[in-house]
Every structure is written in C-alpha cells, then in structure tokens.
C-alpha cells in the first residue's frame, strides 16, 4: 500500500517502473517465480502508466468535488 501511495503522489514513480523492467543478464533467475528479481519491460510500462493516469483522474475528481 505504501508503494501504491508513493506512485499516486507522483514521488519517483518512474524509478520504480524502471526497476521493474530489469531483465537478463542484470537480474537473478531463481527456481520459481517468487525467487527471481527479473521483471517484464512491456508489462511494467503498461501497468505503471495506466495506473498513474487512472489514479490521477480519480484524485482530480476527488479534489474538484463535483
């Protein structure tokens, strides 16, 4: 929740996104999915950009209060 709140406030969300795009050979591949620190470049860019846009519009509507 703290990570998502950090993204909502706009505090270095692009650094978090770039950390999630790390792929071979710069990451450690484990036995299963939970033991690896590799990410997916396309999926992380799509997720973070859409999350930021959607949450920005929700926060804007909360502040405007129509």
């Amino acid at each position: 929740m703290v990570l998502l709140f950090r993204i909502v406030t706009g505090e270095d969300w692009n650094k978090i996104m770039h950390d999630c795009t790390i792929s071979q050979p710069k990451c450690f591949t484990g036995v299963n999915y939970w033991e690896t620190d590799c990410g997916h470049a396309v999926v992380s860019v799509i997720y973070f950009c859409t999350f930021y846009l959607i949450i920005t519009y929700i926060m804007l509507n909360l502040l405007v209060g129509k």
Side-chain angles (χ1 to χ4, degrees):
M1 290 298 285
V2 174
L3 178 69
L4 294 176
F5 184 74
R6 182 177 169 188
I7 295 170
V8 167
T9 59
E11 182 180 340
D12 292 334
W13 67 272
N14 55 347
K15 289 183 183 178
I16 300 168
M17 179 183 68
H18 289 297
D19 286 342
C20 291
T21 61
I22 295 174
S23 60
Q24 291 288 351
K26 296 180 181 179
C27 66
F28 174 73
T29 306
V31 177
N32 58 22
Y33 177 76
W34 302 108
E35 295 176 357
T36 184
D37 64 348
C38 295
H40 298 280
V42 175
V43 174
S44 67
V45 169
I46 291 171
Y47 173 76
F48 281 99
C49 290
T50 55
F51 180 80
Y52 187 72
L53 285 173
I54 291 170
I55 292 301
T56 301
Y57 286 120
I58 290 172
M59 295 299 287
L60 180 67
N61 283 331
L62 285 175
L63 292 175
V64 171
K66 265 190 167 182

